Amino acid sequence: MIPFAYQRARTPAEAAAAVARNPDARFIAGGTNLLDLMKLQIETPTQLVDVNGLGLDKIESGPDGGLRIGALVRNTDLAADERVRRDYAVLSRALLAGASGQLRNRATTGGNLLQRTRCPYFYDTRQPCNKRQPGSGCGALAGVSRQNAVIGGTQACIATHPSDMAVAMRALDATVETVQPSGQMRRIPIADFHKLPGNTPQVETTLAHGEFITAVTLPRPVGGVQLYQKVRDRASYAFALVSVAAIVQKDGSGRVALGGVAHKPWRDEAAEAELPRGAQAMAARLLQGAQPTPENAFKVQLAERTLQSVLNQARGQA
Ligand SMILES: Cc1cc2nc3c(=O)[nH]c(=O)nc-3n(C[C@H](O)[C@H](O)[C@H](O)COP(=O)(O)OP(=O)(O)OC[C@H]3O[C@@H](n4cnc5c(N)ncnc54)[C@H](O)[C@@H]3O)c2cc1C
Ligand code: SF4
Protein backbone atom coordinates (compact mmCIF):
# COMPACT_ATOMS: atom_id res chain seq x y z
CA MET A 1 0.00 0.00 0.00
CA ILE A 2 1.17 3.55 -0.67
CA PRO A 3 1.41 5.77 2.47
CA PHE A 4 -1.52 8.11 3.09
CA ALA A 5 -2.59 10.69 5.66
CA TYR A 6 -5.55 9.82 7.91
CA GLN A 7 -8.01 12.24 9.45
CA ARG A 8 -11.30 11.93 11.34
CA ALA A 9 -13.98 14.41 10.28
CA ARG A 10 -16.10 16.08 12.99
CA THR A 11 -18.99 17.21 10.79
CA PRO A 12 -20.28 16.29 7.31
CA ALA A 13 -19.39 19.77 6.03
CA GLU A 14 -15.84 19.42 7.38
CA ALA A 15 -15.51 16.02 5.69
CA ALA A 16 -16.70 17.44 2.36
CA ALA A 17 -14.38 20.44 2.55
CA ALA A 18 -11.36 18.28 3.49
CA VAL A 19 -11.83 15.92 0.53
CA ALA A 20 -12.59 18.78 -1.86
CA ARG A 21 -9.26 20.47 -1.02
CA ASN A 22 -7.22 17.48 -2.21
CA PRO A 23 -8.01 15.81 -5.58
CA ASP A 24 -6.36 12.62 -4.25
CA ALA A 25 -8.37 12.47 -0.99
CA ARG A 26 -11.21 9.97 -0.37
CA PHE A 27 -13.85 9.41 2.30
CA ILE A 28 -13.58 6.09 4.09
CA ALA A 29 -16.70 4.48 5.58
CA GLY A 30 -16.76 0.68 6.09
CA GLY A 31 -13.65 0.36 3.93
CA THR A 32 -14.79 -2.98 2.47
CA ASN A 33 -14.29 -1.81 -1.12
CA LEU A 34 -11.86 1.10 -0.83
CA LEU A 35 -9.21 -0.80 1.15
CA ASP A 36 -9.21 -3.68 -1.36
CA LEU A 37 -8.75 -1.18 -4.19
CA MET A 38 -5.88 0.49 -2.30
CA LYS A 39 -4.11 -2.82 -1.65
CA LEU A 40 -4.23 -3.54 -5.39
CA GLN A 41 -3.15 0.07 -6.14
CA ILE A 42 -6.20 0.61 -8.31
CA GLU A 43 -6.96 3.58 -6.09
CA THR A 44 -4.03 5.44 -4.55
CA PRO A 45 -5.40 8.20 -2.31
CA THR A 46 -2.89 10.36 -0.45
CA GLN A 47 -5.45 11.22 2.26
CA LEU A 48 -8.35 9.33 3.86
CA VAL A 49 -11.10 11.21 5.67
CA ASP A 50 -12.85 8.86 8.10
CA VAL A 51 -16.59 9.59 8.28
CA ASN A 52 -17.56 6.90 10.79
CA GLY A 53 -17.93 9.22 13.80
CA LEU A 54 -20.48 11.63 12.35
CA GLY A 55 -23.61 10.17 13.93
CA LEU A 56 -25.13 9.32 10.55
CA ASP A 57 -26.06 5.82 11.64
CA LYS A 58 -29.77 6.30 12.33
CA ILE A 59 -32.90 5.26 10.45
CA GLU A 60 -35.63 7.82 11.06
CA SER A 61 -39.30 7.92 10.09
CA GLY A 62 -40.05 11.05 8.06
CA PRO A 63 -43.04 13.40 8.43
CA ASP A 64 -44.27 12.31 4.95
CA GLY A 65 -44.49 8.66 6.06
CA GLY A 66 -41.16 7.77 4.43
CA LEU A 67 -37.81 6.78 5.88
CA ARG A 68 -34.49 8.62 6.18
CA ILE A 69 -31.49 6.28 6.23
CA GLY A 70 -28.23 7.80 7.48
CA ALA A 71 -25.27 7.24 5.14
CA LEU A 72 -23.37 5.32 7.82
CA VAL A 73 -26.17 2.85 8.59
CA ARG A 74 -24.64 -0.61 8.15
CA ASN A 75 -26.20 -2.96 5.59
CA THR A 76 -26.99 -5.49 8.35
CA ASP A 77 -28.89 -2.93 10.43
CA LEU A 78 -30.82 -1.62 7.44
CA ALA A 79 -31.87 -5.12 6.35
CA ALA A 80 -33.02 -5.97 9.89
CA ASP A 81 -34.94 -2.75 10.63
CA GLU A 82 -38.57 -3.57 11.38
CA ARG A 83 -39.93 -0.73 9.20
CA VAL A 84 -37.75 -1.77 6.27
CA ARG A 85 -38.76 -5.42 6.57
CA ARG A 86 -42.46 -4.48 6.75
CA ASP A 87 -42.78 -1.58 4.30
CA TYR A 88 -39.74 -1.88 1.99
CA ALA A 89 -39.22 -5.64 1.89
CA VAL A 90 -37.56 -5.44 -1.54
CA LEU A 91 -34.73 -3.45 0.08
CA SER A 92 -34.28 -5.84 2.98
CA ARG A 93 -34.21 -8.81 0.60
CA ALA A 94 -31.72 -7.14 -1.76
CA LEU A 95 -29.35 -6.30 1.10
CA LEU A 96 -29.46 -9.87 2.42
CA ALA A 97 -28.65 -11.17 -1.08
CA GLY A 98 -25.39 -9.18 -1.06
CA ALA A 99 -21.90 -10.09 0.14
CA SER A 100 -21.70 -12.01 3.45
CA GLY A 101 -22.79 -11.42 7.04
CA GLN A 102 -19.36 -10.10 8.05
CA LEU A 103 -19.18 -7.70 5.12
CA ARG A 104 -22.72 -6.45 5.69
CA ASN A 105 -21.81 -5.69 9.31
CA ARG A 106 -19.20 -3.17 8.03
CA ALA A 107 -20.64 -2.00 4.70
CA THR A 108 -22.54 1.29 4.82
CA THR A 109 -25.43 2.76 2.85
CA GLY A 110 -23.29 5.50 1.25
CA GLY A 111 -20.35 3.19 0.52
CA ASN A 112 -22.60 0.56 -1.03
CA LEU A 113 -23.95 3.06 -3.58
CA LEU A 114 -20.40 4.03 -4.52
CA GLN A 115 -18.74 0.63 -4.68
CA ARG A 116 -16.80 0.14 -7.91
CA THR A 117 -17.43 -2.41 -10.66
CA ARG A 118 -16.24 -6.03 -10.43
CA CYS A 119 -15.11 -6.22 -14.07
CA PRO A 120 -11.97 -8.43 -13.94
CA TYR A 121 -9.95 -6.04 -16.15
CA PHE A 122 -10.60 -3.18 -13.73
CA TYR A 123 -8.96 -5.23 -10.98
CA ASP A 124 -5.90 -6.30 -13.03
CA THR A 125 -3.52 -3.37 -13.42
CA ARG A 126 -1.66 -5.14 -16.27
CA GLN A 127 -4.79 -5.04 -18.47
CA PRO A 128 -6.29 -2.16 -20.46
CA CYS A 129 -9.28 -0.55 -18.74
CA ASN A 130 -10.72 2.86 -19.60
CA LYS A 131 -12.41 3.08 -16.20
CA ARG A 132 -9.18 2.56 -14.25
CA GLN A 133 -6.89 4.30 -16.74
CA PRO A 134 -8.82 6.51 -19.19
CA GLY A 135 -7.69 6.05 -22.80
CA SER A 136 -6.06 2.64 -22.26
CA GLY A 137 -8.88 0.67 -23.96
CA CYS A 138 -11.46 -1.81 -22.76
CA GLY A 139 -10.22 -5.36 -22.21
CA ALA A 140 -13.70 -6.78 -21.70
CA LEU A 141 -15.12 -5.86 -25.12
CA ALA A 142 -13.32 -8.72 -26.88
CA GLY A 143 -12.36 -10.58 -23.72
CA VAL A 144 -13.95 -12.20 -20.70
CA SER A 145 -17.35 -10.53 -20.37
CA ARG A 146 -19.68 -13.05 -18.71
CA GLN A 147 -20.44 -10.62 -15.85
CA ASN A 148 -20.57 -7.48 -17.99
CA ALA A 149 -23.38 -5.25 -19.23
CA VAL A 150 -25.79 -6.11 -22.02
CA ILE A 151 -27.45 -2.69 -22.28
CA GLY A 152 -26.38 0.94 -21.98
CA GLY A 153 -22.71 0.15 -22.60
CA THR A 154 -20.40 1.79 -25.14
CA GLN A 155 -17.16 0.97 -26.97
CA ALA A 156 -15.44 2.65 -24.00
CA CYS A 157 -16.90 0.40 -21.26
CA ILE A 158 -19.41 -2.40 -20.67
CA ALA A 159 -19.03 -2.68 -16.89
CA THR A 160 -21.97 -3.35 -14.57
CA HIS A 161 -22.77 -1.72 -11.26
CA PRO A 162 -22.44 -4.46 -8.64
CA SER A 163 -24.72 -3.21 -5.85
CA ASP A 164 -27.83 -5.20 -4.93
CA MET A 165 -29.07 -2.50 -2.55
CA ALA A 166 -29.06 0.17 -5.27
CA VAL A 167 -31.33 -1.91 -7.53
CA ALA A 168 -34.00 -2.08 -4.80
CA MET A 169 -33.57 1.64 -4.07
CA ARG A 170 -34.14 2.37 -7.76
CA ALA A 171 -37.41 0.42 -7.65
CA LEU A 172 -38.39 2.35 -4.52
CA ASP A 173 -37.62 5.79 -6.05
CA ALA A 174 -35.09 6.67 -3.35
CA THR A 175 -33.39 10.07 -3.13
CA VAL A 176 -29.73 10.60 -2.22
CA GLU A 177 -29.03 13.54 0.10
CA THR A 178 -25.61 15.16 0.02
CA VAL A 179 -23.62 18.03 1.42
CA GLN A 180 -21.45 19.80 -1.10
CA PRO A 181 -18.00 21.24 -0.36
CA SER A 182 -19.65 24.69 -0.20
CA GLY A 183 -21.78 23.41 2.71
CA GLN A 184 -24.98 23.43 0.60
CA MET A 185 -27.29 20.42 0.66
CA ARG A 186 -28.46 18.64 -2.50
CA ARG A 187 -31.13 16.00 -3.16
CA ILE A 188 -30.52 13.67 -6.12
CA PRO A 189 -33.21 11.22 -7.32
CA ILE A 190 -31.55 7.82 -7.52
CA ALA A 191 -32.51 7.60 -11.22
CA ASP A 192 -30.05 10.47 -11.84
CA PHE A 193 -27.37 9.38 -9.38
CA HIS A 194 -25.49 6.65 -11.30
CA LYS A 195 -24.34 7.40 -14.85
CA LEU A 196 -24.02 5.34 -18.01
CA PRO A 197 -20.39 5.00 -19.17
CA GLY A 198 -20.49 7.10 -22.37
CA ASN A 199 -16.91 8.08 -23.20
CA THR A 200 -16.01 8.73 -19.57
CA PRO A 201 -16.56 5.46 -17.68
CA GLN A 202 -14.35 6.73 -14.85
CA VAL A 203 -17.17 9.18 -13.98
CA GLU A 204 -19.70 6.91 -12.30
CA THR A 205 -22.09 9.25 -10.51
CA THR A 206 -23.29 12.84 -10.60
CA LEU A 207 -21.41 13.63 -7.36
CA ALA A 208 -18.70 16.29 -7.48
CA HIS A 209 -15.34 15.51 -5.89
CA GLY A 210 -15.76 16.14 -2.16
CA GLU A 211 -19.56 15.91 -2.23
CA PHE A 212 -20.54 13.76 0.73
CA ILE A 213 -23.63 11.53 0.99
CA THR A 214 -25.41 12.18 4.29
CA ALA A 215 -28.53 10.03 3.83
CA VAL A 216 -30.86 8.18 1.49
CA THR A 217 -34.58 8.86 1.79
CA LEU A 218 -37.41 6.55 0.79
CA PRO A 219 -40.86 7.90 -0.07
CA ARG A 220 -43.92 6.65 1.80
CA PRO A 221 -44.52 2.89 1.32
CA VAL A 222 -46.25 1.78 -1.88
CA GLY A 223 -47.37 -1.64 -0.64
CA GLY A 224 -47.62 -4.58 -3.05
CA VAL A 225 -45.66 -7.80 -2.99
CA GLN A 226 -41.97 -6.84 -2.87
CA LEU A 227 -39.40 -9.37 -4.07
CA TYR A 228 -35.72 -9.48 -4.97
CA GLN A 229 -34.31 -12.42 -6.90
CA LYS A 230 -30.61 -12.68 -7.67
CA VAL A 231 -29.11 -15.22 -10.05
CA ARG A 232 -25.38 -15.82 -9.65
CA ASP A 233 -22.71 -18.40 -10.30
CA ARG A 234 -22.43 -19.36 -6.59
CA ALA A 235 -25.14 -19.42 -3.95
CA SER A 236 -23.35 -16.85 -1.76
CA TYR A 237 -20.47 -14.39 -1.89
CA ALA A 238 -21.03 -13.73 -5.60
CA PHE A 239 -22.24 -10.77 -7.60
CA ALA A 240 -25.41 -10.91 -9.70
CA LEU A 241 -25.41 -12.20 -13.24
CA VAL A 242 -28.94 -10.84 -13.29
CA SER A 243 -31.14 -9.64 -10.46
CA VAL A 244 -34.74 -8.46 -10.40
CA ALA A 245 -36.24 -6.07 -7.84
CA ALA A 246 -40.00 -6.06 -8.23
CA ILE A 247 -42.96 -4.45 -6.52
CA VAL A 248 -46.14 -6.06 -7.82
CA GLN A 249 -49.63 -4.77 -7.02
CA LYS A 250 -52.82 -6.87 -6.89
CA ASP A 251 -53.99 -5.65 -10.33
CA GLY A 252 -50.72 -6.87 -11.92
CA SER A 253 -49.19 -3.40 -12.28
CA GLY A 254 -45.92 -2.59 -10.59
CA ARG A 255 -42.28 -1.61 -10.80
CA VAL A 256 -39.23 -3.54 -11.93
CA ALA A 257 -35.51 -2.73 -11.75
CA LEU A 258 -32.75 -5.02 -12.99
CA GLY A 259 -29.25 -5.51 -11.62
CA GLY A 260 -26.26 -7.12 -13.32
CA VAL A 261 -27.18 -5.89 -16.81
CA ALA A 262 -25.95 -2.29 -16.99
CA HIS A 263 -23.59 0.38 -15.61
CA LYS A 264 -26.42 1.47 -13.30
CA PRO A 265 -29.55 -0.15 -11.85
CA TRP A 266 -31.73 -0.60 -14.92
CA ARG A 267 -35.30 0.64 -14.83
CA ASP A 268 -37.59 2.13 -17.47
CA GLU A 269 -40.85 3.42 -16.05
CA ALA A 270 -42.46 3.44 -19.53
CA ALA A 271 -41.75 -0.29 -19.91
CA GLU A 272 -43.68 -1.00 -16.70
CA ALA A 273 -46.92 -0.45 -18.64
CA GLU A 274 -46.17 -3.88 -20.15
CA LEU A 275 -46.00 -5.63 -16.77
CA PRO A 276 -49.68 -6.76 -16.67
CA ARG A 277 -49.06 -8.44 -20.06
CA GLY A 278 -46.38 -10.65 -18.51
CA ALA A 279 -42.63 -11.16 -18.20
CA GLN A 280 -41.94 -11.64 -21.89
CA ALA A 281 -43.56 -8.36 -22.96
CA MET A 282 -42.01 -6.45 -20.06
CA ALA A 283 -38.48 -7.84 -20.54
CA ALA A 284 -38.61 -7.27 -24.30
CA ARG A 285 -39.40 -3.59 -23.74
CA LEU A 286 -37.00 -3.14 -20.83
CA LEU A 287 -34.06 -4.67 -22.69
CA GLN A 288 -34.94 -3.25 -26.12
CA GLY A 289 -31.68 -2.34 -27.88
CA ALA A 290 -29.55 -4.68 -25.77
CA GLN A 291 -26.11 -5.31 -27.29
CA PRO A 292 -24.66 -8.28 -25.44
CA THR A 293 -21.31 -9.87 -26.21
CA PRO A 294 -21.21 -13.51 -27.37
CA GLU A 295 -20.21 -14.43 -23.79
CA ASN A 296 -23.08 -12.72 -22.01
CA ALA A 297 -25.93 -12.98 -24.54
CA PHE A 298 -27.54 -15.50 -22.16
CA LYS A 299 -28.34 -12.63 -19.76
CA VAL A 300 -31.16 -11.36 -21.98
CA GLN A 301 -33.11 -14.60 -21.67
CA LEU A 302 -32.04 -15.00 -18.05
CA ALA A 303 -33.54 -11.60 -17.22
CA GLU A 304 -36.86 -12.59 -18.78
CA ARG A 305 -36.93 -15.94 -16.94
CA THR A 306 -35.96 -14.38 -13.62
CA LEU A 307 -38.71 -11.83 -14.04
CA GLN A 308 -41.15 -14.64 -14.86
CA SER A 309 -40.10 -16.47 -11.70
CA VAL A 310 -40.60 -13.31 -9.62
CA LEU A 311 -44.05 -12.71 -11.12
CA ASN A 312 -45.05 -16.31 -10.36
CA GLN A 313 -43.96 -15.84 -6.73
CA ALA A 314 -45.80 -12.52 -6.52
CA ARG A 315 -48.98 -14.15 -7.80
CA GLY A 316 -48.61 -16.88 -5.18
CA GLN A 317 -48.25 -14.31 -2.39
CA ALA A 318 -50.91 -11.81 -3.51
C1 LIG B 1 -15.99 -10.40 -1.16
C2 LIG B 1 -17.02 -9.34 -1.37
C3 LIG B 1 -18.27 -9.69 -1.83
C4 LIG B 1 -19.24 -8.72 -2.03
N1 LIG B 1 -20.47 -9.07 -2.52
C5 LIG B 1 -21.41 -8.12 -2.75
C6 LIG B 1 -22.68 -8.44 -3.29
O1 LIG B 1 -22.98 -9.60 -3.57
N2 LIG B 1 -23.57 -7.44 -3.49
C7 LIG B 1 -23.28 -6.12 -3.18
O2 LIG B 1 -24.12 -5.25 -3.38
N3 LIG B 1 -22.08 -5.79 -2.68
C8 LIG B 1 -21.15 -6.75 -2.46
N4 LIG B 1 -19.93 -6.40 -1.97
C9 LIG B 1 -19.59 -4.99 -1.88
C10 LIG B 1 -19.94 -4.36 -0.55
O3 LIG B 1 -21.34 -4.29 -0.44
C11 LIG B 1 -19.32 -2.97 -0.60
O4 LIG B 1 -17.92 -3.12 -0.53
C12 LIG B 1 -19.81 -2.08 0.51
O5 LIG B 1 -21.20 -1.89 0.43
C13 LIG B 1 -19.11 -0.71 0.45
O6 LIG B 1 -19.46 0.02 1.60
P1 LIG B 1 -18.33 0.60 2.55
O7 LIG B 1 -19.00 1.40 3.58
O8 LIG B 1 -17.42 -0.49 3.03
O9 LIG B 1 -17.57 1.54 1.51
P2 LIG B 1 -16.04 2.03 1.48
O10 LIG B 1 -15.19 0.92 0.97
O11 LIG B 1 -15.67 2.70 2.75
O12 LIG B 1 -16.18 3.17 0.38
C14 LIG B 1 -16.53 2.88 -0.96
C15 LIG B 1 -16.48 4.20 -1.75
O13 LIG B 1 -17.51 5.07 -1.32
C16 LIG B 1 -16.99 6.32 -0.89
N5 LIG B 1 -17.85 6.72 0.22
C17 LIG B 1 -18.16 5.97 1.30
N6 LIG B 1 -19.09 6.60 2.04
C18 LIG B 1 -19.36 7.77 1.41
C19 LIG B 1 -20.26 8.86 1.67
N7 LIG B 1 -21.09 8.86 2.72
N8 LIG B 1 -20.28 9.91 0.81
C20 LIG B 1 -19.46 9.92 -0.28
N9 LIG B 1 -18.60 8.92 -0.57
C21 LIG B 1 -18.56 7.85 0.26
C22 LIG B 1 -15.55 6.04 -0.53
O14 LIG B 1 -14.74 7.20 -0.68
C23 LIG B 1 -15.19 4.98 -1.56
O15 LIG B 1 -14.86 5.59 -2.78
C24 LIG B 1 -18.95 -7.36 -1.74
C25 LIG B 1 -17.68 -7.00 -1.24
C26 LIG B 1 -16.73 -7.98 -1.06
C27 LIG B 1 -15.39 -7.55 -0.54
S1 SF4 C 1 -15.78 -2.93 -19.20
FE1 SF4 C 1 -15.20 -0.99 -18.22
S2 SF4 C 1 -14.27 -1.68 -16.31
FE2 SF4 C 1 -14.23 -3.45 -17.70
S3 SF4 C 1 -12.30 -3.33 -18.88
FE3 SF4 C 1 -13.81 -2.26 -20.05
S4 SF4 C 1 -13.48 -0.14 -19.39
FE4 SF4 C 1 -12.61 -1.41 -17.80
Side-chain angles (χ1 to χ4, degrees):
M1 236 197 250
I2 291 174
F4 56 86
Y6 172 85
Q7 146 187 14
R8 280 202 181 95
R10 284 169 303 184
T11 64
E14 185 185 285
V19 170
R21 271 195 297 273
N22 176 358
D24 295 321
R26 297 281 182 279
F27 304 110
I28 182 158
T32 60
N33 191 215
L34 183 58
L35 290 179
D36 283 353
L37 295 168
M38 288 170 65
K39 287 181 208 162
L40 295 166
Q41 298 191 3
I42 295 160
E43 294 213 25
T44 52
T46 57
Q47 183 186 359
L48 289 186
V49 177
D50 188 335
V51 294
N52 282 284
L54 300 179
L56 300 173
D57 54 357
K58 295 172 192 63
I59 306 171
E60 295 160 314
S61 301
D64 60 346
L67 221 50
R68 186 170 188 277
I69 304 158
L72 272 293
V73 171
R74 307 287 157 176
N75 288 178
T76 298
D77 297 330
L78 186 55
D81 185 271
E82 201 187 316
R83 293 158 294 183
V84 174
R85 284 161 54 97
R86 186 187 59 225
D87 298 329
Y88 306 97
V90 65
L91 177 57
S92 182
R93 288 168 192 253
L95 284 159
L96 292 175
S100 65
Q102 280 170 317
L103 283 159
R104 293 193 297 269
N105 287 344
R106 277 306 295 165
T108 63
T109 305
N112 192 312
L113 286 175
L114 293 173
Q115 62 177 293
R116 312 284 316 266
T117 186
R118 294 285 162 168
C119 175
Y121 298 91
F122 178 72
Y123 278 82
D124 185 344
T125 52
R126 295 162 305 179
Q127 301 288 337
C129 172
N130 287 323
K131 188 183 276 297
R132 176 172 33 77
Q133 194 182 345
S136 63
C138 170
L141 274 178
V144 177
S145 55
R146 180 175 167 76
Q147 289 280 347
N148 289 61
V150 295
I151 195 158
T154 60
Q155 287 301 302
C157 180
I158 52 168
T160 53
H161 195 276
S163 168
D164 291 295
M165 182 195 81
V167 182
M169 286 185 170
R170 180 69 181 89
L172 289 165
D173 281 332
T175 299
V176 181
E177 285 186 10
T178 70
V179 61
Q180 300 175 79
S182 63
Q184 276 201 314
M185 312 293 285
R186 188 157 81 111
R187 288 172 58 80
I188 310 164
I190 194 147
D192 303 332
F193 183 78
H194 294 106
K195 293 175 75 113
L196 289 176
N199 287 323
T200 54
Q202 72 280 15
V203 183
E204 294 169 347
T205 68
T206 47
L207 292 184
H209 178 69
E211 190 166 2
F212 175 63
I213 300 173
T214 48
V216 173
T217 58
L218 301 178
R220 64 168 60 215
V222 292
V225 178
Q226 302 198 4
L227 297 168
Y228 187 78
Q229 189 160 333
K230 175 176 177 179
V231 183
R232 46 188 154 173
D233 280 329
R234 271 195 317 255
S236 88
Y237 227 48
F239 292 88
L241 288 167
V242 165
S243 68
V244 173
I247 303 173
V248 184
Q249 304 294 348
K250 278 207 176 81
D251 63 2
S253 67
R255 305 174 182 188
V256 172
L258 301 182
V261 298
H263 201 252
K264 59 189 280 187
W266 194 253
R267 182 175 171 206
D268 175 358
E269 283 82 343
E272 286 164 5
E274 300 289 342
L275 194 56
R277 293 183 53 218
Q280 201 177 7
M282 167 86 202
R285 180 80 188 273
L286 191 55
L287 293 176
Q288 201 170 29
Q291 289 188 308
T293 66
E295 266 199 18
N296 68 16
F298 72 93
K299 282 192 178 190
V300 175
Q301 195 178 37
L302 185 60
E304 181 195 317
R305 289 183 175 177
T306 311
L307 179 57
Q308 182 65 64
S309 160
V310 166
L311 295 182
N312 292 345
Q313 287 175 60
R315 229 169 272 133
Q317 288 184 31

